[in-house]
Amino acid sequence: MLEIGIMKSEEVEEVIHLEYDVLGISPFVATSVLPVKRKVVVARVDGKIAGCATLCWNDRFEIASLAVKDEYRGSGIGAAIIEKCFEVAKELGFDSVWLETPENGPVEFYLSHGFCVKSHVRNMYGDGVSGLKMVKHIS
Ligand SMILES: CC(C)(COP(=O)(O)OP(=O)(O)OC[C@H]1O[C@@H](n2cnc3c(N)ncnc32)[C@H](O)[C@@H]1OP(=O)(O)O)[C@@H](O)C(=O)NCCC(=O)NCCS
């Protein structure tokens, strides 16, 4: 059974492991030193975390990470997480949601969820990997 919700304190370790496994880094850990507020949206399948998104905001609302475990991909979990992110942003009074992704990342996925490319940043991820800043207006 799929359930989308907000990370509980006892799920922190599972989220960090998931981010490292899928992304090779943990934006949840990295953003902990920034002057931002944070929330993590999680997708639980039969009580286990199948995917998550770290959200952070001050004057701008950003999806700092989105990751779904390999074995759960392609069944709408990423879409369900991202819809919940929009809901959280709206509840907090934001009218847009920002994210950054490598240009060889899931750009089509984000475009299909209404994001548009705002700017192109050369070498954003080092090693010649450029990135895109994307935004979706939600109001
Ligand atoms: C991107 C990601 C979150 C999507 O999760 P998911 O649960 O598979 O998403 P959904 O099942 O809701 O949607 C799948 C759709 O996204 C598309 N998609 C997924 N990854 C993609 C990629 N790298 N490039 C283009 N399209 C992609 C699929 O083709 C599929 O399209 P379809 O519905 O037309 O068949 C997941 O693939 C993932 O964790 N990828 C690795 C981590 C990553 O790249 N995160 C984003 C960092 S910015």
Side-chain angles (χ1 to χ4, degrees), residues 22-23 65-69 72-80 99-102 104-110 112-113 125:
V22 175
L23 304 169
S65 75
L66 173 64
V68 173
K69 280 188 183 173
Y72 292 105
R73 288 186 198 159
S75 60
I77 291 178
L99 59 80
E100 293 174 0
T101 185
N104 57 359
V107 177
E108 289 298 328
F109 172 83
Y110 292 128
S112 74
H113 288 283
Y125 296 89

Tab-separated table of all heavy atoms in Angstrom, residues 22-23 65-69 72-80 99-102 104-110 112-113 125, ligand 1:
chain	number	residue	atom	x	y	z
A	22	VAL	N	20.626	6.386	-3.810
A	22	VAL	CA	20.103	6.762	-5.130
A	22	VAL	C	20.900	7.902	-5.760
A	22	VAL	O	21.183	7.888	-6.960
A	22	VAL	CB	18.604	7.158	-5.028
A	22	VAL	CG1	18.082	7.663	-6.366
A	22	VAL	CG2	17.768	5.984	-4.534
A	23	LEU	N	21.279	8.886	-4.930
A	23	LEU	CA	21.884	10.113	-5.481
A	23	LEU	C	23.398	10.186	-5.273
A	23	LEU	O	24.068	11.002	-5.889
A	23	LEU	CB	21.232	11.344	-4.839
A	23	LEU	CG	19.702	11.463	-4.963
A	23	LEU	CD1	19.172	12.563	-4.063
A	23	LEU	CD2	19.300	11.724	-6.414
A	65	SER	N	15.984	17.617	-3.272
A	65	SER	CA	16.269	16.268	-3.774
A	65	SER	C	14.967	15.559	-4.066
A	65	SER	O	13.938	15.852	-3.445
A	65	SER	CB	17.032	15.439	-2.744
A	65	SER	OG	16.168	15.029	-1.702
A	66	LEU	N	15.028	14.663	-5.026
A	66	LEU	CA	13.908	13.757	-5.296
A	66	LEU	C	14.538	12.425	-5.653
A	66	LEU	O	15.388	12.356	-6.545
A	66	LEU	CB	13.040	14.290	-6.443
A	66	LEU	CG	11.934	13.346	-6.917
A	66	LEU	CD1	10.895	13.090	-5.828
A	66	LEU	CD2	11.238	13.915	-8.148
A	67	ALA	N	14.158	11.384	-4.952
A	67	ALA	CA	14.776	10.077	-5.209
A	67	ALA	C	13.776	8.969	-4.929
A	67	ALA	O	13.106	8.969	-3.901
A	67	ALA	CB	16.007	9.903	-4.319
A	68	VAL	N	13.691	8.043	-5.873
A	68	VAL	CA	12.851	6.853	-5.699
A	68	VAL	C	13.772	5.648	-5.878
A	68	VAL	O	14.581	5.605	-6.813
A	68	VAL	CB	11.693	6.823	-6.739
A	68	VAL	CG1	10.931	5.502	-6.666
A	68	VAL	CG2	10.752	7.997	-6.513
A	69	LYS	N	13.657	4.687	-4.951
A	69	LYS	CA	14.495	3.490	-5.051
A	69	LYS	C	14.230	2.804	-6.383
A	69	LYS	O	13.079	2.711	-6.828
A	69	LYS	CB	14.151	2.519	-3.914
A	69	LYS	CG	14.773	2.856	-2.585
A	69	LYS	CD	14.493	1.713	-1.627
A	69	LYS	CE	15.017	2.019	-0.249
A	69	LYS	NZ	14.606	0.997	0.730
A	72	TYR	N	11.288	0.541	-7.199
A	72	TYR	CA	9.929	1.100	-7.122
A	72	TYR	C	9.637	2.090	-8.251
A	72	TYR	O	8.567	2.680	-8.295
A	72	TYR	CB	9.742	1.826	-5.782
A	72	TYR	CG	9.735	0.916	-4.569
A	72	TYR	CD1	10.841	0.852	-3.724
A	72	TYR	CD2	8.621	0.140	-4.266
A	72	TYR	CE1	10.835	0.039	-2.595
A	72	TYR	CE2	8.611	-0.678	-3.150
A	72	TYR	CZ	9.719	-0.727	-2.316
A	72	TYR	OH	9.702	-1.527	-1.213
A	73	ARG	N	10.599	2.288	-9.146
A	73	ARG	CA	10.413	3.318	-10.180
A	73	ARG	C	9.382	2.916	-11.238
A	73	ARG	O	9.171	1.728	-11.457
A	73	ARG	CB	11.751	3.625	-10.867
A	73	ARG	CG	12.651	4.400	-9.946
A	73	ARG	CD	13.924	4.847	-10.622
A	73	ARG	NE	14.892	5.178	-9.591
A	73	ARG	CZ	16.197	5.218	-9.751
A	73	ARG	NH1	16.706	4.966	-10.939
A	73	ARG	NH2	16.985	5.509	-8.749
A	74	GLY	N	8.824	3.936	-11.877
A	74	GLY	CA	7.932	3.695	-13.013
A	74	GLY	C	6.518	3.327	-12.616
A	74	GLY	O	5.722	2.916	-13.460
A	75	SER	N	6.185	3.504	-11.330
A	75	SER	CA	4.802	3.172	-10.936
A	75	SER	C	4.085	4.378	-10.336
A	75	SER	O	3.110	4.217	-9.604
A	75	SER	CB	4.793	1.986	-9.966
A	75	SER	OG	5.535	2.319	-8.812
A	76	GLY	N	4.588	5.566	-10.618
A	76	GLY	CA	3.865	6.772	-10.196
A	76	GLY	C	4.270	7.316	-8.837
A	76	GLY	O	3.681	8.291	-8.361
A	77	ILE	N	5.273	6.722	-8.209
A	77	ILE	CA	5.670	7.202	-6.874
A	77	ILE	C	6.318	8.591	-6.977
A	77	ILE	O	6.005	9.491	-6.194
A	77	ILE	CB	6.582	6.175	-6.171
A	77	ILE	CG1	5.746	4.933	-5.819
A	77	ILE	CG2	7.227	6.781	-4.912
A	77	ILE	CD1	6.512	3.813	-5.165
A	78	GLY	N	7.197	8.770	-7.968
A	78	GLY	CA	7.827	10.088	-8.156
A	78	GLY	C	6.758	11.162	-8.369
A	78	GLY	O	6.824	12.248	-7.785
A	79	ALA	N	5.747	10.832	-9.191
A	79	ALA	CA	4.661	11.785	-9.464
A	79	ALA	C	3.892	12.101	-8.184
A	79	ALA	O	3.557	13.269	-7.924
A	79	ALA	CB	3.717	11.204	-10.513
A	80	ALA	N	3.616	11.083	-7.386
A	80	ALA	CA	2.857	11.292	-6.143
A	80	ALA	C	3.659	12.156	-5.168
A	80	ALA	O	3.100	13.041	-4.500
A	80	ALA	CB	2.512	9.947	-5.517
A	99	LEU	N	13.787	23.999	-8.572
A	99	LEU	CA	14.699	22.877	-8.391
A	99	LEU	C	15.862	23.018	-9.363
A	99	LEU	O	15.807	23.809	-10.316
A	99	LEU	CB	13.986	21.525	-8.583
A	99	LEU	CG	13.305	21.216	-9.919
A	99	LEU	CD1	14.305	20.750	-10.974
A	99	LEU	CD2	12.265	20.130	-9.716
A	100	GLU	N	16.893	22.251	-9.082
A	100	GLU	CA	18.047	22.183	-9.992
A	100	GLU	C	18.250	20.729	-10.363
A	100	GLU	O	18.074	19.846	-9.513
A	100	GLU	CB	19.311	22.686	-9.290
A	100	GLU	CG	19.264	24.164	-8.981
A	100	GLU	CD	20.444	24.651	-8.146
A	100	GLU	OE1	21.321	23.816	-7.794
A	100	GLU	OE2	20.483	25.844	-7.845
A	101	THR	N	18.604	20.502	-11.601
A	101	THR	CA	18.843	19.118	-12.025
A	101	THR	C	19.981	19.104	-13.045
A	101	THR	O	20.140	20.066	-13.811
A	101	THR	CB	17.553	18.504	-12.630
A	101	THR	OG1	17.772	17.129	-12.926
A	101	THR	CG2	17.092	19.220	-13.880
A	102	PRO	N	20.779	18.029	-13.065
A	102	PRO	CA	21.791	17.938	-14.121
A	102	PRO	C	21.083	17.904	-15.472
A	102	PRO	O	19.969	17.376	-15.564
A	102	PRO	CB	22.483	16.594	-13.841
A	102	PRO	CG	22.091	16.194	-12.467
A	102	PRO	CD	20.792	16.870	-12.161
A	104	ASN	N	21.598	16.117	-17.825
A	104	ASN	CA	21.365	14.732	-18.241
A	104	ASN	C	20.501	13.980	-17.217
A	104	ASN	O	20.452	12.765	-17.207
A	104	ASN	CB	22.704	14.003	-18.454
A	104	ASN	CG	23.582	14.020	-17.211
A	104	ASN	OD1	23.192	14.603	-16.188
A	104	ASN	ND2	24.742	13.389	-17.266
A	105	GLY	N	19.821	14.731	-16.340
A	105	GLY	CA	18.933	14.134	-15.333
A	105	GLY	C	17.513	13.992	-15.868
A	105	GLY	O	17.285	14.057	-17.083
A	106	PRO	N	16.556	13.806	-14.959
A	106	PRO	CA	15.172	13.534	-15.393
A	106	PRO	C	14.408	14.789	-15.817
A	106	PRO	O	13.318	15.081	-15.309
A	106	PRO	CB	14.550	12.891	-14.154
A	106	PRO	CG	15.327	13.433	-13.018
A	106	PRO	CD	16.713	13.721	-13.506
A	107	VAL	N	14.981	15.518	-16.781
A	107	VAL	CA	14.401	16.797	-17.211
A	107	VAL	C	12.988	16.590	-17.778
A	107	VAL	O	12.060	17.343	-17.462
A	107	VAL	CB	15.326	17.468	-18.255
A	107	VAL	CG1	14.715	18.762	-18.767
A	107	VAL	CG2	16.698	17.731	-17.640
A	108	GLU	N	12.822	15.523	-18.573
A	108	GLU	CA	11.498	15.245	-19.166
A	108	GLU	C	10.443	15.011	-18.092
A	108	GLU	O	9.292	15.422	-18.215
A	108	GLU	CB	11.566	13.998	-20.073
A	108	GLU	CG	12.333	14.213	-21.365
A	108	GLU	CD	11.680	15.282	-22.245
A	108	GLU	OE1	10.448	15.422	-22.225
A	108	GLU	OE2	12.424	16.013	-22.918
A	109	PHE	N	10.884	14.313	-17.030
A	109	PHE	CA	9.976	14.046	-15.903
A	109	PHE	C	9.479	15.368	-15.322
A	109	PHE	O	8.287	15.572	-15.111
A	109	PHE	CB	10.726	13.207	-14.850
A	109	PHE	CG	9.972	13.018	-13.555
A	109	PHE	CD1	9.015	12.018	-13.428
A	109	PHE	CD2	10.221	13.831	-12.459
A	109	PHE	CE1	8.314	11.840	-12.241
A	109	PHE	CE2	9.530	13.665	-11.269
A	109	PHE	CZ	8.579	12.663	-11.158
A	110	TYR	N	10.413	16.303	-15.090
A	110	TYR	CA	10.021	17.594	-14.508
A	110	TYR	C	9.174	18.417	-15.482
A	110	TYR	O	8.206	19.055	-15.084
A	110	TYR	CB	11.264	18.376	-14.074
A	110	TYR	CG	11.993	17.744	-12.912
A	110	TYR	CD1	13.361	17.479	-12.960
A	110	TYR	CD2	11.312	17.396	-11.744
A	110	TYR	CE1	14.027	16.897	-11.888
A	110	TYR	CE2	11.968	16.809	-10.672
A	110	TYR	CZ	13.323	16.562	-10.754
A	110	TYR	OH	13.963	15.978	-9.692
A	112	SER	N	7.183	17.255	-17.630
A	112	SER	CA	5.839	16.656	-17.667
A	112	SER	C	5.027	17.013	-16.425
A	112	SER	O	3.810	16.827	-16.411
A	112	SER	CB	5.923	15.139	-17.847
A	112	SER	OG	6.348	14.538	-16.648
A	113	HIS	N	5.696	17.512	-15.383
A	113	HIS	CA	4.979	17.961	-14.179
A	113	HIS	C	4.878	19.488	-14.115
A	113	HIS	O	4.666	20.056	-13.049
A	113	HIS	CB	5.630	17.378	-12.920
A	113	HIS	CG	5.354	15.919	-12.787
A	113	HIS	ND1	4.151	15.421	-12.351
A	113	HIS	CD2	6.100	14.836	-13.127
A	113	HIS	CE1	4.173	14.097	-12.393
A	113	HIS	NE2	5.343	13.716	-12.866
A	125	TYR	N	27.655	20.954	-11.770
A	125	TYR	CA	27.975	19.779	-10.942
A	125	TYR	C	29.442	19.376	-11.045
A	125	TYR	O	29.818	18.299	-10.611
A	125	TYR	CB	27.056	18.606	-11.327
A	125	TYR	CG	25.601	18.909	-11.030
A	125	TYR	CD1	24.796	19.540	-11.980
A	125	TYR	CD2	25.049	18.620	-9.792
A	125	TYR	CE1	23.467	19.857	-11.700
A	125	TYR	CE2	23.726	18.923	-9.498
A	125	TYR	CZ	22.951	19.544	-10.457
A	125	TYR	OH	21.649	19.858	-10.174
B	1	LIG	C1	13.190	10.732	-11.426
B	1	LIG	C2	12.535	9.765	-10.454
B	1	LIG	C3	12.337	10.409	-9.111
B	1	LIG	C4	11.150	9.378	-11.018
B	1	LIG	O1	10.514	8.503	-10.078
B	1	LIG	P1	9.440	7.414	-10.568
B	1	LIG	O2	8.754	6.879	-9.361
B	1	LIG	O3	10.055	6.451	-11.490
B	1	LIG	O4	8.447	8.375	-11.379
B	1	LIG	P2	7.019	8.053	-11.995
B	1	LIG	O5	6.763	6.588	-11.960
B	1	LIG	O6	6.028	8.951	-11.364
B	1	LIG	O7	7.208	8.591	-13.474
B	1	LIG	C5	8.035	7.913	-14.352
B	1	LIG	C6	8.181	8.755	-15.612
B	1	LIG	O8	9.329	9.602	-15.463
B	1	LIG	C7	10.221	9.370	-16.537
B	1	LIG	N1	11.617	9.458	-16.091
B	1	LIG	C8	12.150	8.954	-14.986
B	1	LIG	N2	13.496	9.196	-14.954
B	1	LIG	C9	13.773	9.871	-16.070
B	1	LIG	C10	14.970	10.388	-16.645
B	1	LIG	N3	16.161	10.292	-16.040
B	1	LIG	N4	14.878	11.050	-17.809
B	1	LIG	C11	13.690	11.193	-18.436
B	1	LIG	N5	12.527	10.695	-17.969
B	1	LIG	C12	12.574	10.046	-16.803
B	1	LIG	C13	9.915	7.941	-16.966
B	1	LIG	O9	10.304	7.745	-18.293
B	1	LIG	C14	8.400	7.863	-16.814
B	1	LIG	O10	7.759	8.438	-17.919
B	1	LIG	P3	6.309	7.896	-18.424
B	1	LIG	O11	5.361	8.112	-17.267
B	1	LIG	O12	6.019	8.762	-19.611
B	1	LIG	O13	6.526	6.462	-18.726
B	1	LIG	C15	13.354	8.444	-10.327
B	1	LIG	O14	13.564	7.907	-11.610
B	1	LIG	C16	14.696	8.618	-9.631
B	1	LIG	O15	14.779	8.580	-8.399
B	1	LIG	N6	15.775	8.781	-10.438
B	1	LIG	C17	17.129	8.843	-9.912
B	1	LIG	C18	17.377	10.046	-9.061
B	1	LIG	C19	17.206	11.338	-9.780
B	1	LIG	O16	17.625	11.493	-10.920
B	1	LIG	N7	16.581	12.286	-9.065
B	1	LIG	C20	16.419	13.626	-9.509
B	1	LIG	C21	17.668	14.414	-9.238
B	1	LIG	S1	17.450	16.069	-9.801
